[in-house]
Amino acid sequence: MPAKIDSLGNWRRTHYSKDIKPSEEGKEATVFGWVSGIRNQGGIVFIIITDKDGVAQITVHKNKISKEVLSRVESLSDHASIAVKGKIKAMDKAPNGAEIIPDGVKVLALPQKTPPFTLYAKTLPSIDKRFEIRAVDLRRPEALAIFRIREKALETIRGFLKDHGYYEVNTPKIIATATEGGAALFPLLYYDKEAFLTQSPQLFKEQLVMPFEKVFEIAPAYRAEQSRTLHHLSEFLSIDVEEAFVDYKDIMNTIEKMIAKLHASISKECNKELETLGTKVPSIEKIPRMTYDAILELLKGKDAQVEWGDDLTSELLDKIAEELPSYYFVIDWPTKSKPFYIKPSSNPEISESFDLMHGSLEIASGGTRLSSKKELINRLKEKGLKPKGFEYHLAVFDYGMPPHAGFGLGFERLLMVLTNQKNIREVSVFPRDQFRLTP
Ligand code: 4AD
Ligand code: MG
């Protein structure tokens, strides 16, 4: 006999799972969720349901319940969507110390297929297999833990920036010219003109220090990355900050405080999630600053082949990470290795720039910006870019652009660190890469 599907009718939630606790003993509750575990122990069936906040235990005493409710209980399997009405009872061994003794159950949806992975499996099918049904994959406790941490991290960073007086802005994602060099742009048709998806809000945020002084934006950025790595997405969440009347050292101080605050709040408020992921978030106070030159010395001490001016390849970064496994800044990069808007220092070969690293992973880049139009035009030419293409940007520099500095941070990369993930795709709900455009 096919199992019966009930309608929602007039049942509405009275409690979330987190509210099923000993202090509510004796109260009537209606809870909703999906079945994430069933255990049949002779005369008792334990059903675990998961809702947006966590899990609750439904304890069914077979001989104390109507045949009708029992037949519904017996039709359940993992992922079934259900509603339960019953009484809350304190119970030491249950999640949050209480369970629900049901007198009514509604079956709202039953799975028609079994996913190619179980919720608590230690070994999983390939990421591509799981991502075909990503929303179901996201029901695994590890995935839920990652996204609860993601949410908390975003809230903490936004709160930190607001508390420090930054304005939140939103800038266009459809743009006319490249900001970070031409290679990795996605072109698109904008009416009858060629346009691009933005790689970074860099130029907009610089302009916005004129009216707002301190700005930040949290928004997607797009890069047509040609290689498939474990730390590149085609669409990532960029946390961008720009500030007038400061230089790159002040900006690094701000990042240091932000990372310290982030680590403190995740380790305090995401205990359960970190435990589910089998990881810890250490407390951070100071982030060491290493000059590019000092990094080259370190590399030479490890027999690496590297010349002054070279970029730090992934092989070199792996060697550095052996000595510096946590956060560190690489500062004072060769001017020629940085974009046109970065300010050279008193020695023009070296720039007022930094990368925030964690082991071999680049988390953020930033620096002091050029605020003189003349110098910007020179740097554009040196980089082989046409100043004419940037006229719309350079125009405002005629009206008293203050000195300013800032950074752009890859939020998913930071989350990889916090949640101890090796593949950036695990920290994005629907990742985009060279080979993935669905779901
Ligand atoms: O280092 P990037 O290219 O710097 C900028 O966009 C500058 N406008 C920042 C600035 O204010 N000077 O990008 C910033 C960060 C990187 O450090 C990295 O963490 C992240 O964005 N990122 C990516 N994350 C995931 N997938 C990709 N394809 C990424 N490309 C950059
Ligand atoms: Mg960078």
Side-chain angles (χ1 to χ4, degrees):
M1 190 181 70
K4 189 170 167 312
I5 299 297
D6 300 302
S7 65
L8 181 62
N10 60 3
W11 284 32
R12 290 295 178 272
R13 189 191 318 252
T14 61
H15 290 68
Y16 284 99
S17 60
K18 68 172 173 7
D19 307 316
I20 307 299
K21 50 193 177 191
S23 60
E24 294 288 285
E25 169 139 273
K27 287 202 183 139
E28 288 291 333
T30 304
V31 293
F32 287 82
W34 55 275
V35 174
S36 54
I38 305 176
R39 223 162 11 104
N40 218 318
Q41 284 195 345
I44 303 181
V45 185
F46 296 101
I47 304 167
I48 300 297
I49 64 165
T50 297
D51 67 12
K52 74 179 192 67
D53 293 329
V55 297
Q57 176 173 304
I58 319 296
T59 305
V60 183
H61 296 268
K62 287 184 183 171
N63 60 1
K64 290 189 196 154
I65 202 158
S66 73
K67 275 216 174 72
E68 204 195 323
V69 175
L70 190 60
S71 81
R72 283 183 166 74
V73 167
E74 282 169 347
S75 75
L76 297 177
S77 57
D78 278 0
H79 295 287
S81 173
I82 67 170
V84 177
K85 257 188 212 284
K87 251 202 183 68
I88 300 173
K89 184 165 165 263
M91 165 57 70
D92 276 357
K93 286 187 199 136
N96 297 320
E99 61 186 359
I100 298 174
I101 309 295
D103 39 52
V105 170
K106 282 193 178 197
V107 179
L108 301 170
L110 282 176
Q112 308 297 307
K113 287 186 177 174
T114 310
F117 46 85
T118 59
L119 290 165
Y120 301 96
K122 282 273 170 284
T123 50
L124 291 166
S126 73
I127 200 162
D128 288 322
K129 193 96 208 128
R130 284 190 283 123
F131 279 37
E132 284 170 13
I133 46 169
R134 178 60 163 155
V136 182
D137 179 51
L138 289 173
R139 283 182 159 180
R140 288 182 304 105
E142 287 85 2
L144 287 172
I146 288 172
F147 287 93
R148 289 196 182 112
I149 292 173
R150 181 178 172 118
E151 214 228 358
K152 187 78 220 163
L154 206 48
E155 181 188 318
T156 306
I157 290 173
R158 182 175 265 120
F160 174 91
L161 292 169
K162 283 182 180 285
D163 288 348
H164 285 76
Y166 292 87
Y167 267 66
E168 184 161 8
V169 297
N170 294 96
T171 64
K173 301 302 144 208
I174 302 176
I175 53 157
T177 44
T179 55
E180 306 297 317
L185 280 165
F186 283 110
L188 58 91
L189 198 60
Y190 189 67
Y191 304 100
D192 57 349
K193 281 200 210 56
E194 183 178 55
F196 305 95
L197 288 176
T198 179
Q199 300 167 304
S200 159
Q202 181 64 33
L203 306 185
F204 293 118
K205 66 176 177 169
E206 286 196 56
Q207 295 195 25
L208 290 176
V209 303
M210 293 187 81
F212 303 131
E213 242 182 72
K214 298 172 80 168
V215 296
F216 76 98
E217 175 166 16
I218 301 178
Y222 302 88
R223 311 254 172 129
E225 303 288 357
Q226 293 308 331
S227 58
R228 193 171 196 241
T229 78
L230 294 178
H231 53 272
H232 285 91
L233 294 171
S234 311
E235 175 172 350
F236 67 97
L237 197 69
S238 184
I239 299 188
D240 274 274
V241 170
E242 203 68 29
E243 179 170 357
F245 311 117
V246 295
D247 70 9
Y248 73 134
K249 292 191 171 147
D250 302 297
I251 292 291
M252 283 188 280
N253 291 340
T254 302
I255 293 180
E256 194 169 66
K257 280 195 214 127
M258 186 175 88
I259 296 287
K261 166 87 196 183
L262 179 65
H263 273 238
S265 82
I266 296 298
S267 86
K268 182 160 163 244
E269 293 175 56
C270 298
N271 266 313
K272 269 204 322 227
E273 288 77 13
L274 292 169
E275 205 176 295
T276 301
L277 294 168
T279 188
K280 287 202 167 82
V281 169
S283 91
I284 300 285
E285 280 174 26
K286 287 277 166 220
I287 300 180
R289 297 172 192 191
M290 307 275 294
T291 61
Y292 173 85
D293 288 7
I295 291 287
L296 289 203
E297 284 307 308
L298 184 156
L299 283 169
K300 283 180 184 148
K302 296 178 85 67
D303 292 331
Q305 294 294 318
V306 58
E307 300 283 329
W308 196 89
D310 286 354
D311 215 350
L312 300 178
T313 59
S314 59
E315 292 73 30
L316 295 173
L317 290 170
D318 286 342
K319 283 192 189 279
I320 301 168
E322 290 167 10
E323 305 304 316
L324 297 163
S326 183
Y327 293 106
Y328 60 99
F329 288 106
V330 181
I331 67 169
D332 302 345
W333 288 76
T335 303
K336 67 170 188 188
S337 70
K338 286 290 172 187
F340 71 91
Y341 49 79
I342 291 284
K343 186 180 182 211
S345 63
S346 50
N347 169 0
E349 299 288 300
I350 291 173
S351 61
E352 296 197 6
S353 58
F354 64 81
D355 277 4
L356 172 68
M357 305 292 301
H358 185 278
S360 60
L361 189 65
E362 181 192 317
I363 308 288
S365 288
T368 313
R369 319 306 189 182
L370 281 173
S371 49
S372 141
K373 182 171 172 176
K374 211 172 120 212
E375 288 175 68
L376 272 171
I377 290 173
N378 286 339
R379 287 286 295 141
L380 279 166
K381 286 184 188 154
E382 275 171 35
K383 287 257 158 199
L385 295 163
K386 292 198 180 74
K388 204 161 169 46
F390 292 86
E391 258 170 8
Y392 70 95
H393 176 58
L394 298 173
V396 301
F397 284 70
D398 285 330
Y399 297 87
M401 173 62 83
H404 59 283
F407 70 88
L409 179 150
F411 183 58
E412 285 85 1
R413 298 230 182 134
L414 186 56
L415 269 177
M416 288 172 74
V417 172
L418 295 173
T419 62
N420 193 27
Q421 297 301 302
K422 299 277 167 286
N423 191 335
I424 195 167
R425 291 161 187 78
E426 301 285 3
V427 304
S428 167
V429 276
F430 296 116
R432 290 285 173 263
D433 64 35
Q434 206 181 344
F435 303 104
R436 178 170 291 285
L437 196 51
T438 60

